[in-house]
Amino acid sequence: MSSIGTGYDLSASTFSPDGRVFQVEYAMKAVENSSTAIGIRCKDGVVFGVEKLILSKLYEQGSNKRIFNIDRHVGMAVAGLLADARSLSEVSREEASNFRSNYGHDIPLKHLADRVGMYVHAYTLYSAVRPFGCSFILGSYDEDDGPQLYMVDPSGISYGYWGCAIGKAKQAAKTEIEKLQVDERKTCRELVKEVAKIIYIVHDEVKDKAFELELSWVGEVTKGRHELVPKDIKEEAEKYAKVRNRSSGDSHNKSSLQHGLLSYFCPDRNPWRRRMTLMRITCKQCCKPLFCHFTDCVPCFRHPGNSQLYCRQ
Amino acid sequence: SSSCTFLNVTFLYCDENVCVCVQTTIMAVEFDGGVVMGADSRTTTGAYIANRVTDKLTPIHERIFCCRSGSAADTQAIADAVTYQLGFHSIELDEAPLVQTAASLFRDMCYRYREELMAGIIVAGWDRRRGGQVYTVPVGGMMTRQPVSVGGSGSSYIYGFVDSNYKPAMSKEECLKFTAEALTLAMERDGSSGGVVRLAVISEQGVERQVILGNQLPKFSTV
């Protein structure tokens, strides 16, 4: 991460000496600053979950949605610059609509992902424009092709997945998705709860306070149409997620620590305290403050509930 | 040039008493696992038979064919254009195209240029989604799917035969016999249809083509 592209990062039409296009990589960093979105494919459909951070209490509830309907049977969950994502959702809608108008049937998802990927890629070729600062996950369900899930990133490549995550907590989310071991036996209804749980797990309560969970699905349960999950099912999923989040034992240790912290506040008297900026670290599960010890200048945290020492990483 | 309509025959171009118009009898039937398509083989320029062994069953893609009726030039041009578009689409999608897609492309062209064209087309084929399908795109540019469809000037004479003899869930051999008989009856009565009967069977395995020559056509007591 330390390589700075001085001079080679001013436009997307310039390569660096080690063969990278920095503008595209910076665009991907913009995606990593945004909150998480995940999509998981199961036996009979696809479920999307988005952690939509609420920056102000004055916002109307449900505004600035991050899940879009591209066609009747296709949904898109985005991460990154929302304005860029909106513009790309319009482009995707046009592609899907033109396809139907020319060929008389629903666009296959792989084709849509390729076409939108081509469009995104075009903006990485010229210095007059900047690359799109958003990644998005496309999902659809079709009787013949089954459930499909594709992700497009700012470089314009599209990947097919059975489970993927984008945004700031994508690594943690990917770990959780892999733990799920989504196999052919899960249905959409079960998966909705798991998706809600994953979003609640990866949500960082210290840095980002309030968030709204957006859930949507497309599958046999919706007869192939992409829809927001109905209110009652969503409430049930959120309840499940909150309970599981609080009581899950195995994530009581390292995953409760936040990555990338630079400063600590130690409740017990510590000679380093005066030199550090204040930031309280709390355990995500039980919300108790952790005790901070320094061992060879490496900060370690101790959970009040048990006596083990946990290192920062 | 003047245009006049007489029965089912529309003269597109009249110059010095020579009229260029092509009429025919074409037919397609769905069965479980594929389609059977048939056509006569006569192309006329007025009263003169310009080609007595025409092939009116044109391949659009590996398992999609069309039967052409109306102006020979118009239908050949449309079929060429649709073959190109469908081939491109199939390569983009990296899979075999749907019969419905081919029929939509025919319909778009026939409807958009309906004032300039005189084309009645039956699109039939097999795809892995819905099996054997027959779509008819008559003059004017409508498109609809039918289990059995007849077209061309000779079709008027066999509507009764087709309606009374068609049964759903016929086998491939029964469909072949049904098509051959219907075309024979039309060819006997319609002046613009005749020659040999060309048949094609399209299924998952591929395309089988046959020709029934004049002396091998089924015989009916009144003809």
Side-chain angles (χ1 to χ4, degrees):
Chain A
M1 231 253 21
S2 53
S3 132
I4 307 169
T6 15
Y8 300 108
D9 62 347
L10 296 174
S11 85
S13 64
T14 313
F15 275 103
S16 76
D18 49 349
R20 297 153 70 175
V21 182
F22 279 103
Q23 279 295 308
V24 174
E25 296 187 17
Y26 295 163
M28 299 199 207
K29 286 205 193 114
V31 176
E32 275 163 41
N33 285 340
S34 120
S35 60
T36 322
I38 65 176
I40 309 186
R41 194 178 90 185
C42 64
K43 164 179 88 155
D44 62 349
V46 172
V47 181
F48 290 115
V50 177
E51 172 204 8
K52 191 176 79 179
L53 298 178
I54 301 178
L55 299 167
S56 157
K57 290 204 181 69
L58 297 173
Y59 285 150
E60 190 184 346
Q61 211 214 17
S63 66
N64 283 356
K65 280 205 181 323
R66 286 179 43 194
I67 297 186
F68 301 96
N69 237 330
I70 299 305
D71 198 349
R72 279 198 301 249
H73 65 301
V74 178
M76 174 199 256
V78 306
L81 302 177
L82 194 52
D84 287 7
R86 280 211 192 107
S87 144
L88 280 174
S89 77
E90 280 304 312
V91 165
S92 312
R93 283 170 183 155
E94 247 184 83
E95 281 290 338
S97 162
N98 281 342
F99 185 95
R100 178 180 275 118
S101 158
N102 286 336
Y103 301 112
H105 64 90
D106 294 347
I107 188 168
L109 193 67
K110 179 169 197 314
H111 191 233
L112 177 64
D114 283 346
R115 297 285 297 187
V116 185
M118 264 201 282
Y119 187 89
V120 169
H121 170 250
Y123 281 72
T124 67
L125 296 169
Y126 310 107
S127 57
V129 293
R130 65 163 173 81
F132 284 96
C134 63
S135 289
F136 48 95
I137 313 176
L138 291 163
S140 84
Y141 177 78
D142 188 72
E143 258 170 25
D144 302 297
D145 298 326
Q148 307 265 322
L149 188 66
Y150 283 86
M151 195 261 281
V152 180
D153 69 5
S155 65
I157 321 181
S158 59
Y159 309 84
Y161 284 94
W162 59 261
C164 77
I166 48 179
K168 61 169 69 141
K170 74 173 184 211
Q171 276 306 116
K174 278 187 191 160
T175 321
E176 294 297 323
I177 294 176
E178 277 167 33
K179 271 197 236 167
L180 261 187
Q181 283 176 7
V182 176
D183 52 42
E184 294 303 295
R185 286 169 301 158
K186 275 217 162 45
T187 64
C188 270
R189 281 188 200 276
E190 295 160 22
L191 204 56
V192 165
K193 295 195 232 163
E194 302 295 335
V195 166
K197 182 183 103 175
I198 293 176
I199 295 284
Y200 269 83
I201 289 177
V202 304
H203 171 65
D204 182 344
E205 263 143 29
V206 177
K207 280 211 197 126
D208 317 307
K209 305 266 170 20
F211 81 103
E212 200 181 302
L213 173 66
E214 268 183 70
L215 280 175
S216 79
W217 57 2
V218 57
E220 222 176 295
V221 64
T222 64
K223 297 194 186 44
R225 299 179 90 96
H226 176 251
E227 296 168 348
L228 291 178
V229 169
K231 197 150 166 253
D232 51 343
I233 301 183
K234 183 173 165 199
E235 275 167 11
E236 195 191 314
E238 280 189 292
K239 210 164 62 170
Y240 172 88
K242 285 181 188 151
V243 163
R244 299 283 280 184
N245 198 22
R246 231 171 284 137
S247 68
S248 65
D250 60 276
S251 46
H252 218 261
N253 43 29
K254 283 180 187 164
S255 63
S256 71
L257 302 178
Q258 291 99 33
H259 296 272
L261 282 179
L262 298 170
S263 48
Y264 321 93
F265 173 67
C266 186
D268 51 0
R269 265 182 242 167
N270 190 301
W272 294 85
R273 198 164 102 189
R274 254 173 290 151
R275 291 193 209 171
M276 303 228 176
T277 51
L278 301 177
M279 187 172 226
R280 172 166 278 123
I281 298 158
T282 51
C283 174
K284 279 178 93 128
Q285 271 65 45
C286 61
C287 299
K288 284 193 199 146
L290 303 180
F291 293 110
C292 169
H293 298 261
F294 285 88
T295 314
D296 299 328
C297 300
V298 173
C300 301
F301 298 97
R302 182 161 62 86
H303 194 277
N306 43 43
S307 56
Q308 278 179 289
L309 276 177
Y310 302 113
C311 294
R312 186 176 146 218
Q313 282 297 323
Chain B
S1 63
S2 61
S3 72
C4 43
T5 317
F6 179 69
L7 290 177
N8 276 334
V9 172
T10 305
F11 296 100
L12 299 165
Y13 162 75
C14 287
D15 185 44
E16 293 170 354
N17 296 332
V18 175
C19 304
V20 180
C21 75
V22 179
Q23 297 297 338
T24 180
T25 314
I26 50 175
M27 182 167 165
V29 189
E30 279 176 23
F31 66 92
D32 181 25
V35 293
V36 169
M37 307 171 76
D40 72 306
S41 68
R42 181 173 292 181
T43 312
T44 54
T45 327
Y48 174 68
I49 300 177
N51 185 355
R52 62 184 174 96
V53 284
T54 327
D55 182 10
K56 300 178 189 176
L57 302 176
T58 317
I60 302 296
H61 202 260
E62 241 182 275
R63 285 182 179 72
I64 306 178
F65 270 60
C66 74
C67 309
R68 300 180 291 111
S69 76
S71 155
D74 287 352
T75 53
Q76 281 177 8
I78 298 172
D80 285 347
V82 172
T83 306
Y84 162 74
Q85 288 175 0
L86 202 65
F88 191 85
H89 170 71
S90 161
I91 291 200
E92 260 191 328
L93 246 55
D94 198 23
E95 62 179 41
L98 302 176
V99 186
Q100 187 195 23
T101 310
S104 288
L105 290 171
F106 269 109
R107 181 265 311 271
D108 282 348
M109 198 162 291
C110 291
Y111 179 71
R112 191 179 303 235
Y113 301 109
R114 52 184 292 164
E115 309 300 333
E116 287 93 22
L117 292 174
M118 175 62 58
I121 295 177
I122 299 180
V123 184
W126 181 91
D127 63 39
R128 87 183 155 83
R129 256 195 217 204
R130 295 197 200 132
Q133 299 147 74
V134 170
Y135 293 87
T136 179
V137 183
V139 284
M142 155 186 116
M143 191 250 291
T144 183
R145 184 178 171 189
Q146 293 178 314
V148 61
S149 182
V150 294
S153 64
S155 66
S156 336
Y157 305 104
I158 52 171
Y159 276 113
F161 176 81
V162 167
D163 288 343
S164 59
N165 285 61
Y166 172 72
K167 292 179 299 297
M170 286 198 285
S171 72
K172 181 176 95 170
E173 288 68 29
E174 287 174 327
C175 286
L176 280 165
K177 183 160 169 291
F178 172 56
T179 311
E181 286 179 354
L183 288 169
T184 308
L185 288 166
M187 280 153 59
E188 281 298 318
R189 289 292 176 181
D190 180 31
S192 319
S193 305
V196 302
V197 167
R198 291 198 189 272
L199 294 168
V201 181
I202 309 177
S203 64
E204 189 178 356
Q205 284 73 39
V207 180
E208 301 162 28
R209 302 204 58 168
Q210 346 171 337
V211 181
I212 305 183
L213 299 176
N215 56 348
Q216 295 159 351
L217 291 171
K219 304 228 177 329
F220 296 94
S221 50
T222 51
V223 299

